[in-house]
Amino acid sequence: MPYDPKTMNDDPSALRGRFAGLSNKLIATIIGVILLVEIVIYFPSVASFRNTWLEDRLRVGVVAARVLDAVPDVMALPRELTDRLLTSAEADAIVYRRAGQSQLIERAEPVMPDIVTMADLRQRDLPSQIMGAIDTLLAGPGRTLRIVGEGDSEESLVELLMPEQPLRRDMLDYSRNIMLVSLGIASVTAFALYMVVSRLFIDPMVRLSANMLAFRKEPDNAALILTPSSRRDEIGIAERELAAMESDLFSMLRQRQHLADLGLAVAKINHDLRNTLTSAQLLSDQVATLDDPNVQRLAPRLVTTLDKAIGFAQAVLDYGRDAVAPPKFAPVALRPLVEEAAFEARLSGHPTVAFVNQVPADLVVTADAGQLSRVFLNLLKNAREALEKLNGGGDPLEVVVSASASAGLAGAMAQVSIVDNGPGLPPRARDNLFVAFEGSARSGGTGLGLVIAREIVQSHGGQLSFVDQPKGTRFDLTLPMAPIEA
């Protein structure tokens, strides 16, 4: 059956706890192989047990033969002695043959057997012994066993007639004990081998499978890119190749999204650039024909218009070329990072806007410092520009950054809030806040800053969201405080 992602269980935990998993297949295979080996060993073992059992009974017959030799021919053995010999051998009759003569010891009431099978102990080859053992195990009740073996003198034979049921009962008990011992050995061996093989092979394969399932669901989350181990075998090669493939896929998807946004915005870019540059052209024509006072008055407008056109075009080109690389995770202290971003955004020491950094000094996250700095720089710069539009006269203008740590299902997370008491976002900007070229809150903006910021936060395994409030603007970030394990 071909693999269909839509019909497969996406839960990585489904890889465990059912027979389809490698762990259970491994245990079943190990136990099966050990039991198969035990079965191969069992038949020679039970044949040896049967042969030893028969030889023990034959020894009693040899003792009886010695007694017969010691008794003169004219005398008969006492019934008490014969019964004792027959009881010791569990036999109904003992026959001693030597030099063409036969001597018989039997019970007072002879037993006439219906079915007799012979066990010739003179045959020492293993196949014959195994076939005899199998025949005994499969025999039904009521059979009589005729045991034939050599006596203790030359050219002498000893024969015993006895019920086969005691031998079969003892063989079944022996088989049961062998089975219990075999199961115990198989279980212990399987567990020991499983622990070793699981450590070396199964756990890495489960990690690879879980990572592939998780990354398939969120290919834009760079925190899910596999961190390969230092193994040099085939599993190590698979880990490194999977990590490289996921990194390439992450970059390709990000570039594709950027190019798609660019394609949708081509018409708008051309229109805005044409209008802006047309205005610049008209103003430059007027500058060329006017006297010096008018040049002084029109020149700033010309420069501003051209700056807008250049800035807009440059932002679009930067977005198209921005192939966001996977983050290089390392411990980062948030407070100095926010402080540095505020300085670059020209908030530190601003004459009219106060900057308040309330991030705890000991709050550390696992992130790419360079990429995370871009996020804070964009958000703080947007806040400063929004507050600079106000003429004052009301509450003191300020931008406050606060943070705290919290625990969730995904692990320890840092919650960061960036709040200003400015005019807030217009409705159009709120509706298209994270849409490229649509979510700008200021005239001449491209709307790319928040889109790139959200992409960076998502690639860290976090979230960037806008929080609606009656006054001002607030953005919340969630960032993992420890690396995400796939």
Side-chain angles (χ1 to χ4, degrees):
M1 181 177 178
Y3 172 76
D4 184 5
K6 295 181 180 179
T7 61
M8 297 297 289
N9 193 338
D10 289 340
D11 184 7
S13 64
L15 296 172
R16 306 180 180 90
R18 59 185 182 184
F19 192 74
L22 287 177
S23 300
N24 296 309
K25 285 184 177 180
L26 176 64
I27 294 177
T29 302
I30 293 174
I31 293 178
V33 170
I34 294 176
L35 291 180
L36 181 61
V37 173
E38 291 289 344
I39 290 174
V40 174
I41 298 175
Y42 164 75
F43 288 106
S45 176
V46 74
S48 176
F49 174 83
R50 176 178 178 271
N51 198 60
T52 301
W53 194 94
L54 294 175
E55 287 178 348
D56 290 339
R57 300 305 182 275
L58 187 64
R59 291 191 188 96
V60 179
V62 172
V63 172
R66 291 176 180 174
V67 173
L68 289 175
D69 280 341
V71 176
D73 295 339
V74 296
M75 294 182 60
L77 290 175
R79 172 55 54 186
E80 180 180 358
L81 179 59
T82 58
D83 289 344
R84 186 178 302 172
L85 290 173
L86 293 173
T87 302
S88 300
E90 298 182 16
D92 295 326
I94 300 176
V95 179
Y96 177 56
R97 304 180 190 276
R98 186 183 61 176
Q101 296 182 353
S102 299
Q103 290 180 286
L104 172 65
I105 302 176
E106 61 180 349
R107 295 188 183 275
E109 298 180 1
V111 178
M112 300 301 295
D114 295 330
I115 303 174
V116 179
T117 183
M118 188 175 74
D120 192 348
L121 297 182
R122 294 170 296 178
Q123 295 180 349
R124 296 291 181 177
D125 58 296
L126 184 61
S128 298
Q129 294 180 1
I130 292 177
M131 293 303 298
I134 295 175
D135 180 68
T136 301
L137 289 172
L138 299 179
R143 286 203 321 184
T144 297
L145 188 64
R146 178 188 173 194
I147 306 173
V148 179
E150 296 178 351
D152 58 347
S153 61
E154 296 181 358
E155 297 182 358
S156 64
L157 291 177
V158 177
E159 296 182 15
L160 278 80
L161 290 178
M162 61 176 297
E164 193 181 32
Q165 191 61 28
L167 171 60
R168 184 172 182 272
R169 182 180 61 249
D170 290 346
M171 289 177 64
L172 290 176
D173 291 340
Y174 175 80
S175 300
R176 188 180 302 110
N177 294 335
I178 287 291
M179 182 186 67
L180 294 177
V181 172
S182 299
L183 286 177
I185 294 174
S187 300
V188 173
T189 307
F191 177 77
L193 289 177
Y194 167 75
M195 295 301 296
V196 174
V197 176
S198 178
R199 177 71 176 178
L200 293 177
F201 304 109
I202 301 299
D203 289 347
M205 290 305 300
V206 170
R207 177 171 174 258
L208 283 174
S209 302
N211 176 265
M212 286 188 286
L213 290 174
F215 188 81
R216 184 177 69 84
K217 294 174 65 177
E218 296 183 77
D220 58 343
N221 187 352
L224 295 178
I225 295 177
L226 180 71
T227 302
S229 65
S230 58
R231 296 177 62 142
R232 303 183 64 181
D233 55 10
E234 288 78 3
I235 292 181
I237 294 174
E239 289 177 344
R240 289 187 288 275
E241 291 300 320
L242 178 61
M245 182 186 68
E246 290 177 346
S247 298
D248 294 341
L249 182 60
F250 171 83
S251 299
M252 182 185 68
L253 290 177
R254 187 56 50 84
Q255 290 177 348
R256 180 175 295 182
Q257 181 62 42
H258 290 178
L259 292 175
D261 292 339
L262 282 175
L264 294 175
V266 166
K268 174 179 172 58
I269 294 171
N270 288 337
H271 176 74
D272 290 341
L273 284 176
R274 184 167 54 250
N275 291 341
T276 305
L277 295 177
T278 299
S279 299
Q281 183 65 44
L282 292 174
L283 289 173
S284 63
D285 290 343
Q286 293 179 22
V287 169
T289 59
L290 293 176
D291 296 333
D292 291 342
N294 289 325
V295 171
Q296 296 298 325
R297 181 172 58 85
L298 294 175
R301 295 178 59 189
L302 176 62
V303 173
T304 302
T305 303
L306 291 176
D307 284 345
K308 287 183 179 180
I310 295 172
F312 189 85
Q314 187 63 43
V316 172
L317 292 175
D318 289 344
Y319 181 72
R321 290 196 301 261
D322 187 17
V324 179
K328 297 181 179 179
F329 293 97
V332 178
L334 272 185
R335 184 179 178 86
L337 190 70
V338 171
E339 198 70 42
E340 181 180 353
F343 177 79
E344 294 181 7
R346 293 185 292 169
L347 265 176
S348 298
H350 196 281
T352 60
V353 180
F355 172 67
V356 181
N357 187 355
Q358 296 180 350
V359 178
D362 59 347
L363 186 58
V364 177
V365 298
T366 302
D368 187 314
Q371 293 189 15
L372 196 57
S373 178
R374 292 177 59 187
V375 175
F376 288 122
L377 175 60
N378 179 273
L379 295 175
L380 294 176
K381 182 180 177 182
N382 288 347
R384 175 184 60 78
E385 292 175 348
L387 292 175
E388 286 177 343
K389 294 179 181 179
L390 300 178
N391 295 325
D395 296 332
L397 304 178
E398 65 177 5
V399 178
V400 180
V401 181
S402 59
S404 62
S406 63
L409 296 177
M413 304 291 288
Q415 308 286 338
V416 184
S417 296
I418 300 177
V419 184
D420 66 62
N421 58 351
L425 296 177
R428 179 180 177 277
R430 286 199 301 268
D431 295 339
N432 303 280
L433 196 58
F434 297 106
V435 179
F437 306 106
E438 297 290 341
S440 177
R442 59 184 176 86
S443 177
T446 61
L448 296 176
L450 289 177
V451 176
I452 295 175
R454 186 179 66 167
E455 288 178 351
I456 292 174
V457 174
Q458 287 178 344
S459 69
H460 282 70
Q463 291 292 331
L464 172 62
S465 58
F466 169 74
V467 180
D468 195 8
Q469 54 186 18
K471 183 179 180 180
T473 305
R474 173 179 172 179
F475 285 95
D476 284 353
L477 291 82
T478 59
L479 294 168
M481 299 181 65
I484 297 178
E485 294 290 341

